[in-house]
Structures are given as C-alpha cells and as structure tokens.
Amino acid sequence: MAFALAVALHTLAVVVDGYAIYFNSTKVKVPSTITFEFAGSLKYLTVWHMILQAVYFTVCLINDAAGDHSPNPPNPPLIRRIKDYMFAAFAFPIAMFVGVTFWSIMAIDRELVLPKKLDAYFPFWLNHIMHTNIVIFILLEMFLSCRKYPTKKKGLAGLTIFMATYLSWTFVIYYNTNLWVYPVMNVMDWPSRIFFLLAMLAFCLILYLVGDFINNKRWGHNYSKLSPKNSVKNSNGKSTKKIN
C-alpha cells in the first residue's frame, strides 16, 4: 500500500511540476518595465528548484520501475543511490528553504519577494505550486518512500556547492543588470547583503540536518548498525551481538 501511494505521489509530482515549469516558461510574460529580462525566470531559486524537483521525482519513477525500493538494500543499484542522494542533498533542504523563506518574507512584506504588480502576470495557483506544493510533495515523499542518507560530509558538500553556485549566479545577474534578483536585497547595504546571504546558506545547511534527523526517526530502524555497546568480541576478535 505504501509503495502504491509513493508511486502515485511520484507520478502526480512529475505531472504537476512539469506543467508548472512549462506554463511558467511559455505563458508567464512579465513586461520589462516591471522586471528585468536578463536570465529570464532562471534567475530565481524557485525555478531552479522546480526543475530539480521534477528531475528528482522522475528519478523516483525510474527507481520504482527498475530500481530498488526496499528499506535497506545490501547493494543498491545506481538509480537508487542517485535517488537517495538527490533527496538528502538537494530536494528536501531546498524545497523547505524556498517554502519557508518565501512565505516568511511574504508575511512580513510581500513587496520584498513578490510585488503585487506581478499578480496580473503570475497566477495565484502557479505561486502555490512553486512555493507551497513543493513543500507538501517533499514532506509526503519523506514519509512514504524510504532512503538512506549519505554521510554528512558528502551530503552537506553537495548542498553547499549547489547553493554557492546559485548565490554566485545572483552576483553575475547583478553585475550585468545592476539589479538584485530579490527586492529585499535592494534595501540592504553591502555588509547586510553579505550577512543575509551567509545566513540563508547556514539556514539551508540546518535544513539538511533537520531532514537527516526526520529521516532517521522515520526509517533509521531499517538500517541501524550494530553499535559497540551492543556487541562483544569473540575469541576470534570478531564482533557479535551481545545477549542480555
């Protein structure tokens, strides 16, 4: 039953995310008098993550059909290893980051993230797919589909590289347009901008650890290793389970 629900979620997510990407890239036309044209919608982390999430759930479907979906396979196929790493390092922390930061700033002052003048061009339903559904989908995925997290070193390294790449991209955009992607950065001085970007990176890394914690609570019992305190060495020097 859980596997069937997971497959249904993966299919729905691919369809919904795919359509949102298509609609945003072909139907949403914001005049240059309202926003600058450089890089198009690819200047936004939200769009980067929409593409990432669509790719992730496509990988999930491939794994559902031809990979392995058992809790702790002894020798997982490549597609399963890709799926597990993508969720841990990218899909979960970035979905949560986009959703939490967007709606938090939106609650304070929407003009800092989504000015009201964009409502005529950016549909209400598309906004929720890009900033609300991504969180719902990834939380459902956390509890319906099992995975084994990579080591923290590997996971945090991948996430740091991804976020550093995007943050560097925002500076490229500023260099070419003299404008910041997000209006909130226009009201800051340089020290505040640097602190803001570093704080956002730190928050994203914390979300990785949150995902690791939740995943361990949900699935950890399937792949917990024998701890030293629960084992003793036999005469051959090999560890065996301690019988209480």
Side-chain angles (χ1 to χ4, degrees), residues 8-244:
L9 170 66
H10 299 159
T11 304
L12 178 63
V14 169
V15 172
V16 172
D17 289 351
Y19 181 72
I21 293 168
Y22 163 78
F23 189 94
N24 184 64
S25 62
T26 61
K27 305 296 183 182
V28 176
K29 304 295 183 182
V30 181
S32 57
T33 54
I34 296 178
T35 185
F36 56 95
E37 296 180 354
F38 184 85
S41 62
L42 286 176
K43 55 181 169 280
Y44 301 112
L45 180 61
T46 296
V47 176
W48 281 39
H49 181 263
M50 285 298 297
I51 296 171
L52 170 67
Q53 191 172 92
V55 172
Y56 169 73
F57 281 115
T58 300
V59 169
C60 288
L61 283 177
I62 297 172
N63 182 72
D64 293 338
D68 191 300
H69 50 83
S70 58
N72 187 27
N75 187 27
L78 177 62
I79 192 67
R80 169 62 185 271
R81 297 198 300 271
I82 293 173
K83 167 185 172 289
D84 288 359
Y85 186 82
M86 283 188 69
F87 181 93
F90 311 124
F92 179 87
I94 298 173
M96 299 303 296
F97 175 83
V98 170
V100 171
T101 55
F102 176 84
W103 289 113
S104 296
I105 298 175
M106 188 83 164
I108 297 170
D109 184 356
R110 67 164 296 175
E111 296 299 314
L112 297 176
V113 285
L114 186 66
K116 194 170 184 178
K117 59 188 176 183
L118 290 177
D119 288 352
Y121 310 97
F122 192 71
F124 176 80
W125 61 267
L126 184 60
N127 180 32
H128 278 288
I129 288 178
M130 289 187 160
H131 297 107
T132 306
N133 279 32
I134 57 169
V135 175
I136 295 172
F137 283 161
I138 214 65
L139 286 175
L140 288 174
E141 171 69 0
M142 171 68 83
F143 289 96
L144 290 177
S145 181
C146 57
R147 74 211 47 83
K148 188 171 184 179
Y149 261 59
T151 63
K152 287 183 175 65
K153 181 179 179 180
K154 291 180 179 179
L156 290 171
L159 177 58
T160 300
I161 291 171
F162 182 95
M163 288 300 296
T165 300
Y166 176 74
L167 294 178
S168 298
W169 177 231
T170 65
F171 281 89
V172 171
I173 295 171
Y174 177 77
Y175 176 80
N176 283 275
T177 65
N178 203 35
L179 294 169
W180 292 103
V181 174
Y182 301 101
V184 64
M185 294 181 69
N186 289 322
V187 300
M188 299 178 179
D189 56 19
W190 271 103
S192 298
R193 289 189 192 106
I194 299 300
F195 177 79
F196 175 77
L197 293 176
L198 290 176
M200 293 299 98
L201 176 60
F203 179 48
C204 208
L205 297 180
I206 290 171
L207 288 171
Y208 174 93
L209 300 177
V210 171
D212 191 10
F213 175 80
I214 297 173
N215 184 74
N216 189 57
K217 288 295 184 182
R218 175 66 179 90
W219 303 104
H221 61 281
N222 292 300
Y223 51 79
S224 58
K225 296 179 180 179
L226 189 63
S227 62
K229 69 179 181 179
N230 290 325
S231 63
V232 295
K233 288 187 176 181
N234 58 24
S235 59
N236 296 321
K238 296 181 179 180
S239 294
T240 57
K241 189 173 182 180
K242 183 189 294 185
I243 307 297
N244 292 324

